[in-house]
Amino acid sequence: QLAFDGLTIGLVYVILAAGLVLILSVTEIFFVAYGQFYMWGAYVTWYVVDRFHLNYFAGLVLAIIASLFFGLICYVFVFRRA
């Protein structure tokens, strides 16, 4: 169990680091709010699963879609103007 938990949290760190490197290399902007976007997606997943009693994976898909639209709105109104 301990090895599985360590592997799981390690994979989360890898996904976060890969996303940060990808954003930095493509946009050339050091995006310091990346962690907040990640937590927003986790909160949306928790809220959908808890409030609407959906499956975890359905909540995860809805959180990905919601995060995509939230990121698109931030890009259009914040980053494109910079």
Side-chain angles (χ1 to χ4, degrees):
Q1 182 67 34
L2 188 63
F4 180 75
D5 290 341
L7 185 63
T8 303
I9 196 70
L11 288 174
V12 169
Y13 291 154
V14 166
I15 290 171
L16 282 170
L20 188 61
V21 167
L22 183 66
I23 289 173
L24 181 63
S25 65
V26 171
T27 62
E28 297 177 359
I29 297 172
F30 187 67
F31 188 59
V32 294
Y34 186 69
Q36 284 84 2
F37 273 82
Y38 185 78
M39 280 304 301
W40 190 79
Y43 179 73
V44 169
T45 303
W46 171 79
Y47 183 79
V48 167
V49 169
D50 185 57
R51 181 69 62 177
F52 299 115
H53 304 289
L54 290 176
N55 187 4
Y56 173 73
F57 295 108
L60 192 62
V61 169
L62 289 174
I64 289 170
I65 293 169
S67 296
L68 181 120
F69 284 119
F70 184 60
L72 184 65
I73 289 169
C74 287
Y75 174 74
V76 168
F77 291 113
V78 176
F79 298 125
R80 186 177 280 181
R81 295 177 188 234

